[in-house]
Structure formats: structure tokens, C-alpha cells
Amino acid sequence: MIKYKLAIPNQDQLFQLYENDGWNDFLKVPKDKLHKAMEQSWLVNSAYDGECLGGTGRIISDGVINAYLCGLIVDPDYRSRGIGKEMVRRVAEECRKARLHLQLLAEEEKAGYYEKLGFEVFTLGLKYKFSD
């Protein structure tokens, strides 16, 4: 049975979750910095199967107006069980209670998933391209 906690996973579990999904291939962030990002978040929701981390998602926010869902990730072995949906529901409820405008940036092919969870497309997102 999956249990949800408003808690930051330990460094090793968190890093392994990102490794399992390939996010670290893109992020290239060491485990201590990944954990620090979680610590600096407004809210972190994690899903556990016993002691095993099945997924996590976090909200970064100014605590007054805006909130952004970041890093919603479910371990490939735990997908299609409603874990992502439940984590979104839980963080959205916390944002609703705090009267925050919840937003997210997602890859275009994943927009349909988030629309099913109550999000709607409202703007164009852009990312600054740093020249190396």
C-alpha cells in the first residue's frame, strides 16, 4: 500500500529515483544539490511503498501568489497506479488552502496527462538559452 508524506526523501533514495527515470541524464546534478533543491522547496510530497520511494513532487513558491509544480516523478516500476495523480491532488490541495496560483511547465507531449489532472494550457513557456 502506498503512503504519502509531506516530507523530503533522503538523499540516496531521491538520487536513485532520478537515476531510475533518467532525469539525471538531463539535470546532471549531484545528489547533495538535488537534495538541497528539495529542502528549499515550499512543499514536498513523497510516495512510499514501505521504505521504498515510489515517487515525489515538489512545489516552489513565493508563498503569497504563485506556486510551481516541479519534479513530479514516479519510479518506472510504480507507474500506472495513480501515484502521480494522487501526489498532484495532494499538492494542489495544499496550494488551494494557501490561495496560491498553481502552475507548471511540462513537455508538450505530457500536457494531456496534466490536463486530465485539472491543469489547463494558458501560456507559452520559454527557457533562456545560455551560451557556453
Side-chain angles (χ1 to χ4, degrees):
M1 179 175 181
I2 302 298
K3 296 200 181 208
Y4 299 89
K5 299 178 185 178
L6 295 178
I8 300 169
N10 75 47
Q11 267 189 14
D12 293 329
Q13 285 182 313
L14 180 64
F15 191 76
Q16 191 58 55
L17 177 65
Y18 275 64
E19 282 287 307
N20 291 350
D21 196 48
W23 277 36
N24 282 341
D25 296 340
F26 168 73
L27 294 175
K28 298 180 181 13
V29 177
K31 76 170 75 169
D32 62 319
K33 288 195 175 189
L34 181 60
H35 197 257
K36 185 175 179 101
M38 289 285 175
E39 291 174 332
Q40 294 181 178
S41 299
W42 183 77
L43 180 133
V44 177
N45 187 33
S46 301
Y48 291 91
D49 181 10
E51 296 296 315
C52 183
L53 179 64
T56 192
R58 66 189 180 109
I59 299 290
I60 55 174
S61 176
D62 55 22
V64 178
I65 299 169
N66 294 311
Y68 300 92
L69 176 60
C70 295
L72 179 68
I73 182 169
V74 175
D75 188 286
D77 291 340
Y78 287 90
R79 292 207 177 128
S80 300
R81 297 186 192 182
I83 293 170
K85 178 180 181 178
E86 182 61 18
M87 285 194 300
V88 168
R89 188 194 70 73
R90 288 169 180 256
V91 297
E93 178 59 19
E94 294 298 321
C95 291
R96 186 195 64 74
K97 288 192 277 188
R99 297 180 173 249
L100 297 172
H101 296 275
L102 180 58
Q103 303 168 45
L104 70 88
L105 297 172
E107 295 170 334
E108 195 170 338
E109 64 270 9
K110 294 185 179 167
Y113 172 77
Y114 290 105
E115 286 175 317
K116 289 177 188 173
L117 301 181
F119 287 90
E120 62 184 357
V121 175
F122 75 101
T123 190
L124 170 68
L126 299 170
K127 171 179 133 173
Y128 188 81
K129 184 177 178 182
F130 291 99
S131 55
D132 293 328

